[in-house]
Coordinates of all heavy atoms in Angstrom, one line a residue:
G1 N 28.0 108.6 280.3 CA 28.0 109.5 281.4 C 29.3 109.5 282.2 O 29.3 110.0 283.3
K2 N 30.3 108.9 281.7 CA 31.6 108.7 282.4 C 32.7 109.7 282.1 O 33.7 109.8 282.7 CB 32.1 107.3 282.2 CG 31.2 106.2 282.4 CD 30.7 106.1 283.9 CE 29.7 105.0 284.1 NZ 29.2 104.9 285.4
F3 N 32.5 110.5 281.0 CA 33.5 111.4 280.5 C 32.9 112.7 280.2 O 31.8 112.8 279.5 CB 34.0 110.8 279.2 CG 35.4 111.3 278.8 CD1 36.5 111.0 279.6 CD2 35.6 112.0 277.7 CE1 37.8 111.4 279.2 CE2 36.8 112.5 277.3 CZ 37.9 112.2 278.1
E4 N 33.4 113.8 280.8 CA 32.8 115.1 280.6 C 33.0 115.7 279.2 O 34.1 115.5 278.6 CB 33.4 116.1 281.6 CG 33.0 115.8 283.1 CD 33.6 116.8 284.0 OE1 34.5 117.7 283.6 OE2 33.3 116.7 285.2
F5 N 32.1 116.4 278.7 CA 32.1 116.9 277.3 C 33.3 117.9 277.2 O 34.0 117.8 276.1 CB 30.8 117.5 276.9 CG 30.8 117.9 275.5 CD1 30.6 117.0 274.5 CD2 30.9 119.3 275.1 CE1 30.6 117.4 273.2 CE2 30.9 119.6 273.8 CZ 30.7 118.7 272.8
D6 N 33.5 118.7 278.1 CA 34.6 119.7 278.0 C 36.0 119.0 277.9 O 36.8 119.4 277.0 CB 34.6 120.7 279.2 CG 33.4 121.6 279.2 OD1 32.8 121.8 278.1 OD2 33.1 122.2 280.2
N7 N 36.2 118.0 278.7 CA 37.5 117.3 278.6 C 37.6 116.5 277.3 O 38.6 116.5 276.7 CB 37.6 116.3 279.8 CG 38.9 115.7 280.0 OD1 39.1 114.6 280.6 ND2 40.0 116.3 279.4
F8 N 36.5 116.0 276.8 CA 36.4 115.3 275.6 C 36.8 116.2 274.4 O 37.6 115.8 273.6 CB 35.0 114.8 275.4 CG 34.8 113.8 274.3 CD1 35.8 113.0 273.8 CD2 33.5 113.6 273.8 CE1 35.6 112.1 272.8 CE2 33.3 112.7 272.8 CZ 34.3 111.9 272.3
T9 N 36.2 117.4 274.3 CA 36.6 118.3 273.2 C 38.0 118.7 273.3 O 38.7 118.9 272.2 CB 35.6 119.5 273.2 OG1 35.7 120.2 274.4 CG2 34.2 119.1 272.9
L10 N 38.6 118.9 274.5 CA 40.0 119.3 274.6 C 40.9 118.1 274.1 O 41.9 118.4 273.4 CB 40.3 119.6 276.0 CG 39.8 120.9 276.6 CD1 40.1 121.1 278.0 CD2 40.4 122.1 275.8
V11 N 40.6 116.9 274.5 CA 41.4 115.8 274.0 C 41.3 115.6 272.5 O 42.4 115.3 271.9 CB 40.9 114.4 274.7 CG1 41.5 113.2 274.1 CG2 41.2 114.5 276.2
L12 N 40.2 115.9 271.9 CA 40.1 115.8 270.5 C 40.6 117.0 269.7 O 40.7 117.1 268.5 CB 38.6 115.6 270.1 CG 38.0 114.2 270.5 CD1 36.6 114.1 270.1 CD2 38.8 113.1 270.0
G13 N 41.0 118.1 270.5 CA 41.5 119.3 269.9 C 40.5 120.2 269.3 O 40.8 121.0 268.4
L14 N 39.3 120.1 269.7 CA 38.2 121.0 269.2 C 38.2 122.2 270.0 O 37.8 122.2 271.2 CB 36.8 120.3 269.3 CG 36.7 118.9 268.5 CD1 35.4 118.3 268.8 CD2 36.9 119.2 267.0
E15 N 38.6 123.3 269.4 CA 38.7 124.6 270.2 C 37.7 125.6 269.6 O 37.3 126.5 270.3 CB 40.1 125.1 270.1 CG 41.1 124.2 270.8 CD 42.5 124.7 270.7 OE1 42.8 125.7 270.1 OE2 43.4 124.0 271.3
D16 N 37.4 125.5 268.3 CA 36.5 126.5 267.7 C 35.1 126.2 268.1 O 34.6 125.0 268.2 CB 36.6 126.3 266.1 CG 35.7 127.2 265.4 OD1 35.8 128.4 265.5 OD2 34.8 126.7 264.7
Y17 N 34.4 127.2 268.5 CA 33.0 127.1 268.9 C 32.1 126.3 268.0 O 31.4 125.4 268.4 CB 32.4 128.5 269.2 CG 31.0 128.4 269.7 CD1 30.6 128.1 271.0 CD2 29.9 128.8 268.8 CE1 29.3 128.0 271.4 CE2 28.6 128.7 269.2 CZ 28.3 128.3 270.5 OH 27.0 128.2 271.0
N18 N 32.2 126.7 266.7 CA 31.3 126.0 265.7 C 31.7 124.5 265.6 O 30.8 123.6 265.4 CB 31.5 126.6 264.3 CG 30.8 128.0 264.3 OD1 29.8 128.2 265.0 ND2 31.3 128.9 263.6
A19 N 33.0 124.2 265.7 CA 33.4 122.8 265.6 C 32.9 122.0 266.8 O 32.4 120.9 266.7 CB 35.0 122.7 265.6
V20 N 32.9 122.6 268.0 CA 32.4 122.0 269.2 C 30.9 121.7 269.0 O 30.4 120.7 269.4 CB 32.7 122.8 270.4 CG1 32.0 122.3 271.7 CG2 34.2 122.8 270.7
L21 N 30.2 122.8 268.5 CA 28.7 122.7 268.4 C 28.4 121.6 267.4 O 27.5 120.8 267.6 CB 28.2 124.0 267.9 CG 26.8 124.4 268.3 CD1 26.7 124.4 269.8 CD2 26.5 125.8 267.8
N22 N 29.1 121.5 266.2 CA 28.8 120.5 265.2 C 29.1 119.1 265.8 O 28.4 118.2 265.5 CB 29.6 120.8 264.0 CG 29.1 121.9 263.2 OD1 28.0 122.3 263.3 ND2 30.0 122.6 262.4
F23 N 30.2 119.0 266.5 CA 30.5 117.7 267.1 C 29.5 117.2 268.1 O 29.0 116.1 268.1 CB 31.9 117.8 267.8 CG 32.3 116.5 268.4 CD1 32.6 115.4 267.6 CD2 32.4 116.3 269.8 CE1 33.0 114.2 268.1 CE2 32.8 115.1 270.3 CZ 33.1 114.0 269.5
K24 N 29.0 118.2 268.9 CA 27.9 117.8 269.9 C 26.7 117.4 269.2 O 26.0 116.4 269.6 CB 27.6 119.0 270.8 CG 26.8 118.7 272.0 CD 26.8 119.8 273.0 CE 26.2 119.3 274.3 NZ 26.4 120.3 275.4
R25 N 26.3 118.0 268.1 CA 25.2 117.6 267.3 C 25.4 116.2 266.7 O 24.4 115.4 266.7 CB 24.9 118.6 266.2 CG 24.2 119.9 266.6 CD 23.8 120.7 265.4 NE 23.7 122.1 265.9 CZ 24.3 123.1 265.3 NH1 25.1 122.9 264.3 NH2 24.2 124.3 265.8
S26 N 26.6 116.0 266.2 CA 26.8 114.6 265.6 C 26.7 113.5 266.7 O 26.4 112.4 266.4 CB 28.2 114.6 265.0 OG 29.3 114.6 265.9
L27 N 27.0 113.8 268.0 CA 26.9 112.8 269.0 C 25.5 112.4 269.3 O 25.2 111.3 269.7 CB 27.6 113.3 270.3 CG 29.1 113.4 270.3 CD1 29.6 114.0 271.6 CD2 29.7 112.0 270.1
S28 N 24.6 113.4 269.1 CA 23.2 113.1 269.3 C 22.5 112.3 268.2 O 21.4 111.7 268.4 CB 22.4 114.4 269.6 OG 22.4 115.2 268.4
N29 N 23.2 112.2 267.0 CA 22.7 111.4 265.9 C 22.8 109.9 266.3 O 23.7 109.5 267.0 CB 23.5 111.6 264.6 CG 23.3 113.0 264.1 OD1 22.3 113.7 264.5 ND2 24.1 113.5 263.2
N30 N 21.9 109.2 265.8 CA 21.9 107.7 266.1 C 23.0 107.0 265.3 O 23.2 105.8 265.6 CB 20.6 107.1 265.7 CG 19.5 107.6 266.6 OD1 19.8 107.9 267.8 ND2 18.2 107.6 266.1
N31 N 23.7 107.6 264.4 CA 24.8 107.0 263.7 C 26.0 106.6 264.5 O 26.8 105.8 264.1 CB 25.3 107.9 262.6 CG 24.2 108.3 261.6 OD1 23.2 107.6 261.5 ND2 24.4 109.3 260.8

């Protein structure tokens, strides 16, 4: 809870809506 998701996706270069959505889903995985 220390880093905002919007800033996180910008730092990683995720600009495409689908890429952001897939990344958010992957974060919720226990892996």
Side-chain angles (χ1 to χ4, degrees):
K2 309 296 182 181
F3 201 67
E4 291 181 355
F5 186 74
D6 290 342
N7 190 203
F8 191 21
T9 57
L10 288 174
V11 169
L12 294 180
L14 300 175
E15 297 175 0
D16 178 62
Y17 178 76
N18 289 329
V20 171
L21 212 57
N22 288 334
F23 181 67
K24 193 166 192 171
R25 282 189 205 123
S26 75
L27 287 176
S28 63
N29 292 344
N30 290 331
N31 298 341

